[in-house]
Amino acid sequence: MTEATVLDPGAAQAAAPEARYVQSASMAHRRAFGQFFTPEPVAQLMADWVLQGRPRTILDPAYGMGIFYRQIRAAAGDVKFRFTGYELDAQVLAAARAEHSAGDSGSALHLVNEDYLAADVQGYDAVICNPPYMRFQKLVGRHEILDRLQAESGIRLGGCANSASVFLLKALHQLNAGGRLAFILPMEFFNTNYGLELRRKLAADCLLKQVLIFANEKELFPEAVTTVVVLLCENDGRPSGVSCRTVNNLHELRGNGRLPDSVVRHVEYPELLAAVKWSPVFENKPTMTWAADRYVPFSHYGRFRRGIATGANRFFVFNREQAEQRGLPMSQLQACVTRSTQVPGMVFSDTSMSALDRDGRPVWCLNPAEPMGTAVRDYLSLGEQQGVHQCYLTSKRNPWYKLEVRSPAPIWVGTFYRQRLKVIRNFSSAPTFTCFHSFYPAPDFERLVDALFVYLLSDAGQSQVCLQRRQYGDGLVKFEPGDLNQALCPGEAQLRKLDQERVQSVIRLAAIDPDQALDAANELFPSVFSLDGSARAADILDAVQ
């Protein structure tokens, strides 16, 4: 095998067939098929990995413009191999074929214009793939695909699985003994519930060998909002553990696609089998393990639920003036917090909601109920003319305009954040949209709501919740309700012994001086966390960030 050298990754990428295709294909088309092309140094690295296994048959489940085939062909030299590429998009496949030279049309390359996930595919010595970055839920026949994969592999991915995870599961099932696999995935795969069983397979079967975390995802995929990882696997059954590296820029790949020298850490498989989420393990973030009688998951006290999802905010949301112009009666509207920016502070009340309304903010949500007047019916007819009833969420409802029921919750936690988790003590009668997750306490624990709120404000609470995060690109972090429900917090005995006057003082400060409220919260909770000799919460928060 020979190695191709790239002196300037950026220049090489600009001259690549992928760059020419991007100029000719619209962004809408590329997004519809989840097309985010692999930079050449990364493709070289992945090709080098699979070629070390000396494969005779190689599979690319998402061929695109064929960068993996080009890299493997260049590096393999005189070594003979059979390369099969599946590609659903006829447009990109036609462009790829047009780019191929006459020497590429021989028996080594076999291209199939077909959906890989629905195809009957045999075993391969190597699999190399940058799967489409798109919602698997939009794929026709997805239920049949998942049922078939479960029957073949014994693993059931959750209904929220992304397409990349489904591609990976099928590819692993088709990897021959001794074969190698190189796969690009969003880093969220390490932490999601739907990927739990697949992660267990990677560790239990000793498949995963190396992980590369690309810290600067904008350099790899400028149009995608996600942190990217590359999984390097080998189906050899050897319990070698996993080497994890962080790549800060493409030049660290030393211009030839080889792995960087720096090893962040080596992880043994038992560590991964025991971990619910893998990101803290691979990133070497400290975790807190506490006695069960002292620390419990948030679900012990109640449940976080997501906010109202309309499926078409542009249709359902109004300010008061817009509603009046439409003739929509206020009795058919519900006051809601529709955007995170509507709550700049730590405490929200009915007075806060009234101020937003006076300022003309869009805090009214259409939620029709019988009897509906002419104005409401006319507006719903307009929505049907615009196709609102055929949107993804609205098409699942009967009737399509009837929204979910959400009661006001005493605590809101922001769905996304970059620096610090947004936590709100809500005293208003308003529910919230999906910009916040809402905490509903169990009846026996309503009196502990204020203490739980102060805990979430503190460095100790923030650090523990951060361990459940889902890392996206550009420093963006996301939480699902289940992530928050799993986060640990002090047990009942610790919360009940808190000085309630000090708890109330934190809440009063939160309404007027957030910085002082944070200091006061930290004064309360580090003393609780020190009972079992754990690391200081502030130190752990610094490490998590």
Side-chain angles (χ1 to χ4, degrees):
M1 290 180 244
T2 62
E3 292 180 345
T5 301
V6 177
L7 299 178
D8 185 345
Q13 187 71 4
E18 286 75 16
R20 291 190 284 273
Y21 173 77
V22 166
Q23 293 299 317
S24 63
S26 69
M27 171 64 78
H29 179 85
R30 288 185 282 123
R31 287 194 180 277
F33 286 93
Q35 294 169 350
F36 298 94
F37 296 112
T38 311
E40 188 169 340
V42 180
Q44 288 179 323
L45 179 151
M46 296 168 67
D48 180 70
W49 171 260
V50 298
L51 284 175
Q52 288 178 33
R54 300 188 177 277
R56 293 292 184 179
T57 56
I58 304 171
L59 170 68
D60 182 348
Y63 187 78
M65 289 297 295
I67 190 169
F68 293 126
Y69 170 69
R70 300 197 307 269
Q71 295 301 323
I72 288 175
R73 187 194 61 187
D78 296 332
V79 175
K80 302 298 182 183
F81 61 89
R82 173 76 166 171
F83 193 105
T84 301
Y86 280 81
E87 177 54 57
L88 178 62
D89 179 20
Q91 178 175 320
V92 75
L93 193 57
R97 283 178 167 141
E99 291 280 357
H100 289 329
S101 66
D104 294 329
S105 59
S107 60
L109 178 62
H110 178 55
L111 298 180
V112 184
N113 186 193
E114 190 176 335
D115 181 2
Y116 164 74
L117 295 179
D120 290 322
V121 183
Q122 303 302 312
Y124 283 84
D125 298 333
V127 183
I128 186 168
C129 186
N130 174 10
Y133 186 70
M134 59 190 294
R135 286 178 60 89
F136 178 66
Q137 290 75 15
K138 291 185 178 181
L139 187 66
V140 176
R142 64 187 183 279
H143 298 298
E144 293 79 3
I145 289 172
L146 286 179
D147 289 342
R148 182 175 178 181
L149 279 176
Q150 182 181 20
E152 293 174 349
S153 67
I155 293 177
R156 179 72 179 183
L157 292 174
C160 295
N162 62 18
S163 59
S165 299
V166 185
F167 270 74
L168 176 60
L169 176 57
K170 182 164 184 172
L172 285 171
H173 180 67
Q174 288 152 351
L175 188 63
N176 290 338
R180 287 192 166 201
L181 174 146
F183 237 79
I184 295 176
L185 286 175
M187 191 173 176
E188 63 180 273
F189 167 74
F190 285 158
N191 300 326
T192 57
N193 292 333
Y194 65 73
L196 179 60
E197 293 303 316
L198 182 50
R199 295 198 299 272
R200 285 176 176 163
K201 176 180 177 62
L202 288 169
D205 293 352
C206 303
L207 292 166
L208 185 59
K209 304 300 182 183
Q210 302 202 46
V211 170
L212 277 78
I213 299 173
F214 287 86
N216 183 10
E217 75 287 338
K218 291 300 182 184
E219 187 180 18
L220 269 70
F221 303 109
E223 297 167 348
V225 184
T226 182
T227 298
V228 177
V229 297
V230 172
L231 306 187
L232 302 179
C233 301
E234 187 171 11
N235 190 16
D236 61 359
R238 296 176 183 173
S240 56
V242 184
S243 296
C244 179
R245 296 170 170 87
T246 296
V247 180
N248 295 302
N249 58 71
L250 293 180
H251 291 281
E252 288 186 7
L253 301 181
R254 297 181 287 170
N256 57 14
R258 288 185 295 167
L259 292 169
D261 289 326
S262 60
V263 177
V264 173
R265 68 171 308 200
H266 187 80
V267 179
E268 299 296 338
Y269 292 125
E271 291 183 71
L272 296 176
L273 288 169
V276 175
K277 298 179 185 292
W278 281 10
S279 287
V281 180
F282 284 132
E283 296 178 287
N284 202 20
K285 300 293 177 62
T287 58
M288 301 185 199
T289 55
W290 296 310
D293 60 339
R294 292 188 177 183
Y295 298 91
V296 296
F298 245 96
S299 58
H300 176 80
Y301 296 112
R303 291 284 178 178
F304 279 96
R305 297 185 67 189
R306 66 166 176 79
I308 296 171
T310 69
N313 285 3
R314 61 179 174 80
F315 177 82
F316 285 98
V317 177
F318 307 85
N319 62 25
R320 184 179 288 269
E321 182 180 359
Q322 292 168 335
E324 291 174 350
Q325 289 174 349
R326 291 281 183 184
L328 301 175
M330 301 308 292
S331 61
Q332 298 286 350
L333 301 173
Q334 180 180 15
C336 297
V337 169
T338 62
R339 301 173 185 172
S340 176
T341 54
Q342 293 172 354
V343 189
M346 294 178 172
V347 176
F348 192 79
S349 65
D350 285 327
T351 301
S352 308
M353 177 59 79
S354 297
L356 291 173
D357 185 26
R358 287 195 304 272
D359 290 342
R361 306 292 288 275
V363 294
W364 295 100
C365 179
L366 179 65
N367 193 11
E370 295 291 353
M372 292 187 290
T374 302
V376 175
R377 293 190 184 280
D378 288 347
Y379 187 66
L380 295 177
S381 296
L382 175 63
E384 291 175 355
Q385 294 173 22
Q386 296 174 344
V388 176
H389 65 303
Q390 296 174 334
C391 294
Y392 179 75
L393 285 181
T394 56
S395 65
K396 309 298 180 185
R397 299 196 295 250
N398 186 20
W400 64 268
Y401 51 79
K402 189 62 178 177
L403 300 185
E404 303 161 303
V405 176
R406 291 288 188 273
S407 58
I411 297 176
W412 297 335
V413 172
T415 303
F416 292 94
Y417 83 96
R418 279 193 167 86
Q419 294 181 336
R420 194 174 182 89
L421 183 64
K422 192 169 186 177
V423 183
I424 310 298
R425 180 66 172 94
N426 175 43
F427 293 101
S428 78
S429 55
T432 175
F433 276 17
T434 55
C435 51
F436 290 103
H437 296 313
S438 297
F439 178 72
Y440 295 95
D444 293 342
F445 299 116
E446 292 174 344
R447 290 187 298 177
L448 295 180
V449 162
D450 289 337
L452 290 170
F453 166 73
V454 175
Y455 166 70
L456 286 170
L457 281 187
S458 70
D459 287 348
Q462 296 262 326
S463 65
Q464 188 48 222
V465 172
C466 283
L467 295 176
Q468 306 297 328
R469 76 199 188 285
R470 302 182 184 205
Q471 187 75 41
Y472 285 72
D474 199 23
L476 185 66
V477 173
K478 180 183 180 182
F479 291 99
E480 297 292 348
D483 302 327
L484 297 170
N485 288 329
Q486 293 173 12
L488 291 181
C489 55
E492 295 177 44
Q494 297 184 53
L495 290 183
R496 293 185 189 282
K497 75 179 182 181
L498 290 174
D499 185 328
Q500 292 305 307
E501 176 53 37
R502 293 180 65 186
V503 170
Q504 294 304 314
S505 176
V506 174
I507 295 175
R508 289 193 294 271
L509 285 171
I512 58 175
D513 193 327
D515 290 337
Q516 286 193 38
L518 176 58
D519 290 341
N522 286 336
E523 289 177 3
L524 274 175
F525 277 96
S527 62
V528 174
F529 275 71
S530 65
L531 289 177
D532 62 354
S534 298
R536 289 185 65 251
D539 295 336
I540 295 172
L541 181 62
D542 289 340
V544 170
Q545 293 178 334

